[in-house]
Every structure is written in C-alpha cells, then in structure tokens.
Amino acid sequence: MGRRYNFRNSMILFGFVFGAWSCSPPTSDAVLHVAAATSLTGVFQDLSIAFEEQSGITVTPSFAATGHLAQQIANGAPYDVFAAADASHIDTLIARGYLDAQSRTTYALGDLVLVQAYDSSYELNNLEQLADTQIDRIAIANPAHAPYGIAAAEALSAAKLWEAVENKLIYGETVKQAAVITATGNADAAIVARSVLDPSLKVVVQIPPDLYSPILHVAAVLTSTTNETLSQSFIAFMISPEGQTILESHGLATP
C-alpha cells in the first residue's frame, strides 16, 4: 500500500512541477547531474535523451554501484539527483540530511534472472543446477555495496543453495560487471538484473520473487542542489507515462 501511495503522489508532483517549469523554464545552459546505479546505465541514457528533447535541459548521468554513489554523496559529490537501485541507501542519506525526504520517489521495481552465455557447454535449466559439479564459477554483484548482489545472496540462501555454491561465487563490482564476466566466458552462469542483459546471454529462468526482498528503485533530490525545481522535474519525468515506458523497455517493472 505504501508503494502505491508514493507513486500516486509522485504523479501529482509530475503535473505540478511540469506546470511550474513550463511557466518559467530554466535557462538553456542549465545542466542536471544525475547519479544512477550501473544497472541502470541504458535506462538513464535513454531517460536523459528523452528529457533533454522535451525540456532542452542537458542531463549528465554518472554511473557506479549504488553503495559507491551513496558514499560519494556523503562526501560532497555535486550531484542533483540520486537514482538508486534500492531504498535503503536513499533512506540512510535522507536520515543523514543529504537527500530531501519530500522528493523520495519509488520509480521502478527490479527482478533477478539466472543467465548463461549462449555458447555455454553446459546447459542450465533451473536454479538448483548451480550446485552441479559442472558449474565452477557463478557471478553475482558484490553484496557489500550492490543491491542486486544482496538480492542474489538472499535468493541463494532461501533456495538452500548457499553452502553448495559459496565457493563458486565471483563478485562483480556491479551487477552489470557480473553480467559481463559471464558473457566473456569467465563465469559459467550469473544471477543478475534483467536490465543488464547482454545479447550474448540467455535467460535460463526468472528467480522466484519470493526468494528475495523486493528490489525497489528509489530516487531523491540532494539537499545541496542548486537546481531543485529542475531536479524535481526530472524525477517527475521518470514516473510520467513516457518515462515509465522507457523503464519498461529496459526490463524494469513499474511501481
């Protein structure tokens, strides 16, 4: 219920902020700096282009693991918007005063998939096969700072596979890197976000969502921004029909 309430109020914000922006648009030389999780690279490249076409405002996205971006923000990085691949880093930064609580918006939901390279010599059909002796290396994002890594570890534990596969795990710094490790043949399989799929990777199966905590993608405006209205406009665009269509095209679900 809380997730729907957040989204509905964000849609109200979309109409209000875009209305205000259209009456007094920012100067054409304004630049919006958006920090986004690496798993969202393709998504935010497309969102940035679409927002620029609609508003005339340049968007400069920066990508890294959610945990690393949170640390950068706590250290004073000059971003305007933080789009995380989870809720916990956003909430921690809000509590510490780095993000505006009123701007907190759940803009997408992520999911996990088990993948392997199309040219793999051993064909997987289910999650349980990760325990087979033919599987030597399994890539996931590092649970120390990557939300999809945390979710992958939760799923393996819930499926009672952790002890069987723990010594096989290879950690990518980001979930995108975990996908690349597998696409290049350096892992036999990976548990990654659907949004980072490489053309050389095939989805074996979607990981049952009851095996891990919901992967909420949450964004907020930095309290240090000098572009508050513009930042609110970008978040509003993310949850507008056009923004949600872009998110869905990259394998993300809408709230």
Side-chain angles (χ1 to χ4, degrees), residues 2 31 48 51 58 71 76 79 90 97-98 117 161 175 197 210 219 235:
V31 177
S48 298
F51 184 75
T58 299
Q71 186 174 31
Y79 299 122
I90 294 287
Y98 294 106
L161 291 169
V175 70
L197 291 184
D210 59 351
I235 290 180

Side-chain angles (χ1 to χ4, degrees), residues 61-186:
S62 298
F63 303 103
T66 290
H68 289 162
L69 290 172
Q71 186 174 31
Q72 290 175 24
I73 290 169
N75 289 333
Y79 299 122
D80 298 301
V81 175
F82 180 26
D86 69 355
S88 63
H89 284 94
I90 294 287
D91 292 338
T92 297
L93 290 174
I94 287 175
R96 296 176 64 187
Y98 294 106
L99 299 177
D100 175 18
Q102 296 301 314
S103 68
R104 185 189 187 280
T105 302
T106 299
Y107 62 91
L109 304 173
D111 65 354
L112 289 174
V113 288
L114 174 63
V115 301
Q116 68 175 160
Y118 275 103
D119 60 1
S120 176
S121 60
Y122 179 71
E123 183 176 356
L124 286 171
N125 295 298
N126 55 63
L127 186 64
E128 289 70 25
Q129 284 180 276
L130 292 179
D132 291 357
T133 56
Q134 294 94 328
I135 300 296
D136 295 321
R137 298 177 302 278
I138 304 164
I140 67 171
N142 192 332
H145 50 248
Y148 280 97
I150 295 172
E154 286 183 359
L156 289 169
S157 295
K160 304 187 185 307
L161 291 169
W162 183 260
E163 290 185 3
V165 305
E166 183 178 8
N167 292 332
K168 303 180 182 184
L169 294 177
I170 300 173
Y171 294 138
E173 281 300 296
T174 64
V175 70
K176 186 174 183 178
Q177 188 178 78
V180 171
I181 288 171
T182 307
T184 55
N186 292 302

Side-chain angles (χ1 to χ4, degrees), residues 26 30-33 80-81 221-222 224-233:
V31 177
L32 187 68
H33 296 278
D80 298 301
V81 175
V221 176
L222 273 70
S224 60
T225 183
T226 58
N227 294 308
E228 182 178 357
T229 299
L230 180 57
S231 298
Q232 294 277 15
S233 296

